[in-house]
Amino acid sequence: MDGAPSDTTHLDWSNVGLGFSFILFNALISTSLQLGVGSSLLSAAIRCVVQLGLVALVLQKVFETNNPWAVGSIAFLLNLLGTIEAVVNKSKKRYNHMFFCVLFGMLCSTIPVSIIGIRFAMAIEPFWKPEQYIPIVGMLCGGTISGIVVSVSYVLREIYDNRDKVEMYLAFGASRFEACRPVAREALRLALTPTINQMSVIGIIAIPGMMTGFQVPILGGSSVQQAARLQMVIMFMISASTALASIITTITTLAVVVDSEDRLRADRVDVREHPVWRARNWLFSRAVDGVKRTVQSCCGLRRNDGRNEGTEMESFLG
């Protein structure tokens, strides 16, 4: 009972297959109720399997090498992948140079918070130990993505769809800082609400997996009390990282969509699908058209062959 579950539990791909049956159940419900999310569930589950499998292979090598440059590379890769997820997959509206602004916001929040938190709050030296640093950065990136998406989506919606209020402030002589302050305040409030709610219920309603011992060996805990204190520190770090990233990306977003001459630039907002998805749809349509043409040509050849056979039979009989 005192041992960690990872010491006694061995999972193979058959266990993963049994767990995947829950996704199939959800997809079946989606199809029967016509919710339209069945394919998204399946694709997300497949991505989960592939991504976790690749991450396990890479992290095993990083843990064995114990190289700070390798740890830093993994931390940057996590932020880069988080930026791609936020910009490409999660955002329905985008603005010019959004990718670099979001990447800058994530790096300026997750890296300093992780270094300061691990080195001083967790008292781990050196702070870049891969067993501790990489999981912490991953948690920070996960929380930061949500805050960035919520704040940027709200700002772009207000600027593009509900621009009348901001334009009225600007028309009456307000600076872009004064005109955009209510939008920025509400965007940050919405971005921090999920983190606040999570901290409010953790430990009472939601018991984190770290408290049960599954992640204690990875993060270096030795008891449930230590795991509880570690969870407190991590939640505070996630809150700080989310707030810092949301502030940076909100400011950069407003700086792009409201220029230095106090003009609202809705033309810098792109409401189309991301070019990645447009390219995917174009390739898919081309592939479908190619299959259709191939099938039609095959059917045409068969019809011509049938007509030729009919003509030969008529000539033979006639």
Side-chain angles (χ1 to χ4, degrees):
M1 295 297 291
D2 295 334
S6 57
D7 296 334
T8 58
T9 303
H10 176 75
L11 302 179
D12 53 22
W13 288 108
S14 62
N15 301 105
V16 178
L18 291 174
F20 191 78
S21 62
F22 295 112
I23 298 296
L24 297 178
F25 176 73
N26 290 341
L28 180 62
I29 293 177
S30 172
T31 302
S32 61
L33 297 179
Q34 298 180 352
L35 301 179
V37 296
S39 59
S40 300
L41 282 170
L42 292 176
S43 61
I46 293 173
R47 279 187 57 189
C48 177
V49 172
V50 174
Q51 290 168 180
L52 287 177
L54 293 176
V55 166
L57 293 176
V58 173
L59 290 185
Q60 184 64 34
K61 299 296 183 181
V62 174
F63 289 169
E64 293 174 356
T65 57
N66 198 27
N67 188 322
W69 293 104
V71 175
S73 300
I74 293 297
F76 178 79
L77 180 62
L78 291 175
N79 282 274
L80 180 62
L81 294 176
T83 302
I84 295 174
E85 182 69 18
V87 176
V88 177
N89 293 334
K90 302 298 184 183
S91 299
K92 295 182 179 180
K93 294 182 177 68
R94 287 162 300 279
Y95 58 91
N96 297 346
H97 313 298
M98 179 178 175
F99 183 88
F100 299 102
C101 293
V102 173
L103 180 61
F104 176 75
M106 290 196 64
L107 290 174
C108 290
S109 60
T110 59
I111 301 301
V113 170
S114 62
I115 293 175
I116 295 173
I118 294 175
R119 175 61 186 87
F120 297 102
M122 296 184 182
I124 296 175
E125 189 176 1
F127 69 87
W128 52 263
K129 286 184 178 180
E131 295 84 359
Q132 286 84 21
Y133 188 77
I134 294 177
I136 295 298
V137 172
M139 296 177 193
L140 296 183
C141 288
T144 301
I145 290 172
S146 301
I148 289 176
V149 171
V150 171
S151 60
V152 173
S153 298
Y154 179 82
V155 170
L156 295 181
R157 185 174 67 249
E158 289 296 308
I159 295 298
Y160 192 84
D161 298 333
N162 305 318
R163 69 185 86 173
D164 296 339
K165 293 185 293 184
V166 178
E167 287 181 337
M168 183 182 66
Y169 284 122
L170 295 174
F172 279 95
S175 65
R176 61 175 177 174
F177 174 77
E178 294 171 339
C180 296
R181 184 165 51 189
V183 177
R185 185 186 297 116
E186 185 65 17
L188 294 176
R189 187 188 67 82
L190 293 175
L192 294 178
T193 298
T195 304
I196 295 173
N197 294 337
Q198 187 178 5
M199 285 193 295
S200 300
V201 301
I202 197 167
I204 298 177
I205 300 173
I207 301 177
M210 197 178 304
M211 297 277 295
T212 64
F214 282 100
Q215 298 182 23
V216 170
I218 297 177
L219 297 177
S222 57
S223 66
V224 176
Q225 290 294 332
Q226 289 295 317
R229 294 166 189 161
L230 188 61
Q231 183 67 37
M232 297 173 196
V233 174
I234 290 176
M235 287 304 305
F236 300 154
M237 291 170 62
I238 292 175
S239 176
S241 178
T242 302
L244 185 58
S246 301
I247 292 172
I248 293 173
T249 52
T250 299
I251 292 174
T252 54
T253 301
L254 290 172
V256 171
V257 298
V258 182
D259 61 17
S260 58
E261 297 181 1
D262 297 337
R263 295 179 302 177
L264 198 63
R265 300 297 301 272
D267 58 297
R268 295 180 178 178
V269 180
D270 189 0
V271 297
R272 299 174 298 172
E273 286 187 322
H274 194 274
V276 171
W277 303 125
R278 295 205 301 268
R280 182 203 62 177
N281 295 335
W282 181 81
L283 291 174
F284 182 76
S285 63
R286 297 283 293 181
V288 171
D289 292 340
V291 172
K292 287 181 178 179
R293 285 195 296 268
T294 303
V295 172
Q296 289 174 357
S297 62
C298 292
C299 293
L301 290 175
R302 290 178 181 176
R303 292 194 188 116
N304 292 333
D305 292 342
R307 291 174 184 173
N308 293 334
E309 290 178 358
T311 303
E312 292 176 357
M313 183 64 69
E314 289 177 359
S315 62
F316 176 77
L317 296 176

